[in-house]
């Protein structure tokens, strides 16, 4: 072997190997750095999504709270005789539902369900084609009925609207003050509920997603009523994450 | 001394307060007592009210409602309190009674109740213990013959009108009346609870929406939209159409060929009223046959008082709007008591049509 060849075989690895090592290190460093940046970006976007989603849910919950304190709604829910409920009180309740729907067009349906799932008072925007007034057999209703939580929500594909919507309900436990103290304990009269359209919310989510190069898709949640009694930004993040 | 003064002061104070009480109770023995009547607008003869006041020293204060449904809302808001009497349609008496709002008829029955034709009592047996039938009539279409291109003869002309009637129709805001007549125009019974038929009737009402100027029952005085020409045709009770005819001869009333609803108006006394005796006295007063005949003529409405008919002139009894011919009555129906959930369905289909309307 000529000395020139020996020299080449020794020198070249000595030069190339450190270069490769350096390159690999640089690559690793850049990769880790961009991954951290990407994660930070996704986390930021998810926080934003969670905030938007959380705000919508909390607003819906506040509106249900307000509606549930309306004397006409209370009187309606307390009236056990169906004929009286429908012939005397229902118009007032539907007028209030209409007013809410006009103020919050994203509420596609506003309704009062009896404890067996019967749609007792129902108001919907024109786009909704109500397929049934019996919700008792639907798994989401059964899950809600089994829950002890005062509020429930789920994201679901609604055949009435032909799109994904948020169902948010408040259980109405009301005491009848007209009865004696022994018998006027608050009792479940039904569920006051909103069907929130994803459209306005969806636009905001879409904008956030586009800015952050995210892909969002709506997945139907496992059919269980999700308590939002203690909805925190963290749990909202978890909810959004589970839907993205 | 101070003790004597105290005793004297106490005696004086009790004397003064007893005087004040006596003053409130007896100072004006002629001050009329008052009954509050929840009534349709223009649905009572003021002269009769005056006679009643002179005879019994009882004033009638009227509070008006514009539809059966608004009366229900008024009563719902006060839980049936604050009123002594009301005019109530047949379909609501059972509900009011179930709420405990109605007083039972007194025993023995006031004398003039014997003049009420039993057929009106039998029409709604559930009303016999709490309500006194006063008038009956029909629901039809009142229209301006000088403003419409052709006369209305059928409900279908009203519910599927031609373009010239855009924003020119008047309806009312009572679920059963409007849905009932829409059902009738489609060839169904006004008492149908068939979901498919109700859905078709609601679809018809939605189609009619652009033609509707108002879902408020028209006023019966000079300010009526039918007189001003704002509205060309409206659902209306026969007697009311005849009242408006007094202002304009071009107003015609028709009971459509498909038939219509025969309604009965009752007077009820509220259980919360502290003046139930006076209230029954007033109803008894209205059913004295000559007065019942006079009131019937004033309102152009058929009386339920069979003895009063003897005091009505021939031309009144022959008026086809007030006493429609038998062939029309045969095609017409009373509103039956339907199941509560069927009523819920009717409300759920009709109220969005009415509540989403903007004039």
């Amino acid at each position: 072997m000529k000395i020139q060849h020996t020299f080449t075989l020794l020198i070249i690895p000595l030069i190339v190997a450190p270069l490769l090592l350096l390159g690999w290190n640089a690559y690793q460093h850049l990769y880790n750095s961009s991954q951290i940046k990407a994660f930070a970006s996704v986390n930021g976007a998810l926080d934003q999504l969670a905030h938007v989603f959380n705000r919508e849910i909390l607003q819906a919950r506040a509106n249900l709270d307000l509606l549930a304190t309306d004397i006409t709604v209370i009187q309606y829910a307390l009236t056990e005789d169906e004929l009286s409920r429908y012939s005397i009180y229902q118009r007032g309740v539907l007028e209030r539902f209409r007013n809410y729907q006009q103020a919050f067009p994203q509420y596609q349906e506003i309704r009062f369900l009896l404890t067996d799932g019967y749609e007792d008072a129902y108001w919907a925007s024109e786009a909704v084609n109500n397929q049934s007034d019996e919700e008792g057999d639907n798994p989401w209703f059964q899950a809600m009925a089994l829950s002890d939580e005062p509020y429930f929500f789920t994201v679901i594909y609604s055949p009435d609207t032909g799109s994904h919507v948020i169902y948010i309900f408040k259980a109405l436990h009301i005491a009848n003050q007209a009865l004696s103290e022994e018998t006027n304990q608050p009792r479940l009269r039904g569920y006051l509920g909103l069907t929130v359209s994803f459209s306005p919310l969806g636009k905001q989510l879409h904008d956030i997603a586009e800015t952050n190069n995210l892909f969002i898709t709506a997945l139907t949640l496992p059919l269980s009523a999700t308590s939002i009694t203690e909805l925190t930004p963290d749990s909202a993040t978890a909810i959004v994450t589970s839907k993205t | 001394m101070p003790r004597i003064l105290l005793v004297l002061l106490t005696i004086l104070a009790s004397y003064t307060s007893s005087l004040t009480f006596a003053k409130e109770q007896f100072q004006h023995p002629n001050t009329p007592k008052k009954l509050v009547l929840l009534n349709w607008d223009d649905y009572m003869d003021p002269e009769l009210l005056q006679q009643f006041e002179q005879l019994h020293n009882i004033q009638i204060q009227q509070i008006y409602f514009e539809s059966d449904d608004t009366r229900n809302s008024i009563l719902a808001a006060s839980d049936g309190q604050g009123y002594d009497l009301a005019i109530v349609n047949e379909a609501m008496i059972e509900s009011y009674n179930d709420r405990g709002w109605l007083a039972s008829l007194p025993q023995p029955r006031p004398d003039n109740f014997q003049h009420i034709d039993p057929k009106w009592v039998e029409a709604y047996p559930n009303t016999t213990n709490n309500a006194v039938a006063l008038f009956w009539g029909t629901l039809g279409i009142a229209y301006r013959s000088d403003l419409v291109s052709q006369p209305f003869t059928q409900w279908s002309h009203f519910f599927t009108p031609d373009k010239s009637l855009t924003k020119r129709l008047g309806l009312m805001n009572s679920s059963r009346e409007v849905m009932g007549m829409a059902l009738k125009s489609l060839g169904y019974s006004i008492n149908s609870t068939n979901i498919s038929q109700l859905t078709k009737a609601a679809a018809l009402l939605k189609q009619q929406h652009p033609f509707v100027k108002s879902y408020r029952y028209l006023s019966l005085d000079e300010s009526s939209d039918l007189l001003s020409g704002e509205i060309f045709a409206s659902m209306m009770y026969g007697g009311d159409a005849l009242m408006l005819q007094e202002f304009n001869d071009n107003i015609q009333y028709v009971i459509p060929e498909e038939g219509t609803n025969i309604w009965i108006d009752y007077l009820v006394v509220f259980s919360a009223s502290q003046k139930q005796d006076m209230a029954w006295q007033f109803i008894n007063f209205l059913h004295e046959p000559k007065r019942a005949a006079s009131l019937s003529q004033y309102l152009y409405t058929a009386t339920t008082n069979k003895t009063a008919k003897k005091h009505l002139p021939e031309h009144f009894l022959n008026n086809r709007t007030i006493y429609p011919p038998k062939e029309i009555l045969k095609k017409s129906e009373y509103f039956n008591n339907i199941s509560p959930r069927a009523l819920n369905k009717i409300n759920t289909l009709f109220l969005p049509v009415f509540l989403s309307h903007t004039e």
Side-chain angles (χ1 to χ4, degrees), chain B residues 33-329:
Chain B
K33 289 157 266 179
K34 196 166 68 178
L35 285 173
V36 180
L37 167 65
L38 195 56
N39 193 7
W40 292 88
D41 198 2
D42 290 319
Y43 206 50
M44 193 52 71
D45 180 357
E47 274 188 27
L48 275 183
L49 297 185
Q50 217 171 357
Q51 278 180 33
F52 182 71
E53 187 179 342
Q54 282 165 0
L55 206 62
H56 299 286
N57 197 32
I58 301 170
Q59 259 181 7
I60 304 291
Q61 181 195 345
Q62 296 190 78
I63 309 268
Y64 302 117
F65 56 83
E66 64 157 291
S67 74
D68 293 323
D69 287 359
T70 48
R71 181 200 54 230
N72 295 341
S73 301
I74 291 170
L75 289 171
S78 69
D79 198 20
Q81 297 187 35
Y83 308 93
D84 299 299
L85 307 110
I87 296 271
V88 178
N89 59 320
E90 66 284 348
M92 290 312 303
I93 290 168
E94 197 179 337
S95 296
Y96 286 8
N97 202 26
D98 287 346
R99 301 296 299 153
W101 289 352
L102 302 186
S104 297
L105 259 65
Q107 294 293 350
R109 301 276 158 98
D111 293 347
N112 291 325
F113 289 13
Q114 63 178 307
H115 300 296
I116 300 167
D117 191 329
K119 79 172 174 184
W120 301 114
V121 179
E122 287 155 14
Y124 288 95
N126 291 343
T127 65
T128 46
N129 289 326
N130 307 90
V132 182
L134 192 62
F135 301 117
W136 68 275
T138 57
L139 179 62
I141 303 167
Y143 64 94
R144 285 280 297 268
S145 57
D146 56 330
L147 298 177
V148 298
S149 52
Q150 55 184 10
F152 287 87
T153 55
Q154 298 176 359
W155 284 116
S156 56
H157 295 158
F158 188 74
F159 287 107
T160 48
D162 68 53
K163 280 185 180 168
S164 65
L165 292 167
T166 303
K167 285 269 174 196
R168 295 297 184 188
L169 297 183
L171 274 87
M172 49 208 300
N173 62 22
S174 291
S175 308
R176 286 207 70 186
E177 274 82 355
V178 176
M179 282 289 279
M181 297 314 112
L183 283 164
K184 203 76 179 162
S185 80
L186 294 168
Y188 306 129
S189 163
I190 63 172
N191 292 304
S192 172
T193 55
N194 177 295
I195 300 295
S196 153
Q197 293 176 5
L198 289 172
T199 308
K200 283 180 193 169
L204 187 67
L205 292 173
K206 276 184 194 161
Q207 275 176 33
Q208 190 206 27
H209 219 234
F211 298 91
V212 179
K213 163 85 175 150
S214 169
Y215 285 90
R216 282 180 290 127
Y217 195 72
L218 294 184
S219 64
L220 303 176
D221 54 26
E222 293 97 327
S223 67
S224 175
D225 281 350
L226 198 60
L227 293 171
S228 69
E230 278 290 304
I231 280 176
F232 292 0
S234 181
M235 284 176 82
M236 194 170 276
Y237 299 113
D240 294 346
L242 292 174
M243 282 182 106
L244 281 180
Q245 258 179 5
E246 281 190 356
F247 299 104
N248 190 330
D249 291 340
N250 290 314
I251 290 175
Q252 302 294 320
Y253 176 78
V254 64
I255 302 172
E257 288 166 7
E258 299 99 322
T260 187
N261 159 236
I262 302 169
W263 52 263
I264 307 171
D265 271 344
Y266 293 82
L267 267 166
V268 297
V269 174
F270 289 102
S271 55
S273 166
Q274 299 298 310
K275 303 162 192 164
Q276 290 180 19
D277 289 346
M278 287 195 273
W280 293 119
Q281 202 174 3
F282 176 63
I283 299 174
N284 189 47
F285 170 86
L286 292 179
H287 261 302
E288 189 281 316
K290 277 188 182 170
R291 291 194 195 104
S294 157
L295 184 58
S296 176
Q297 287 181 88
Y298 179 83
L299 297 173
Y300 299 100
T301 303
T303 176
T304 55
N305 188 314
K306 61 180 191 294
T307 318
K309 284 178 85 173
K310 292 174 190 161
H311 302 284
L312 288 167
E314 202 66 21
H315 70 86
F316 189 86
L317 293 169
N318 290 332
N319 187 313
R320 291 164 65 91
T321 296
I322 302 167
Y323 291 98
K326 278 183 184 164
E327 61 270 21
I328 286 288
L329 292 179

Side-chain angles (χ1 to χ4, degrees), chain A residues 75-76 79-92 94-95 98 102 114 116 118-124 126 130 133-134, chain B residues 67 69-70 72-73 75-77 79 92 94-96 98-99 101 173-175 338 340-341 343-345 347-348 350-352 354-356:
Chain A
Q75 217 165 15
Y76 181 87
T79 304
E80 290 181 19
D81 173 56
E82 287 191 333
L83 187 63
S84 301
R85 209 160 61 230
Y86 304 141
S87 57
I88 299 172
Y89 298 106
Q90 194 172 45
R91 169 178 292 228
L94 291 183
E95 277 177 354
R98 178 209 46 191
Q102 282 176 345
L114 294 185
D116 63 358
Y118 176 67
E119 240 165 29
D120 203 59
Y122 179 84
W123 180 270
E126 279 193 22
N130 194 19
D133 53 16
E134 296 282 359
Chain B
S67 74
D69 287 359
T70 48
N72 295 341
S73 301
L75 289 171
D79 198 20
M92 290 312 303
E94 197 179 337
S95 296
Y96 286 8
D98 287 346
R99 301 296 299 153
W101 289 352
N173 62 22
S174 291
S175 308
I338 55 173
R341 294 219 168 169
L343 181 62
N344 185 16
K345 191 72 192 169
N347 284 348
T348 306
F350 169 70
L351 290 175
F354 151 63
L355 290 173
S356 61

Side-chain angles (χ1 to χ4, degrees), chain A residues 50-70:
Chain A
H51 178 71
V52 169
F53 196 83
N54 197 19
R55 196 181 55 203
E56 189 67 43
I57 298 290
L58 291 179
Q59 187 183 50
R61 192 179 124 174
N63 279 329
L64 283 177
D65 285 344
L66 205 58
L67 199 53
T69 57
D70 186 299

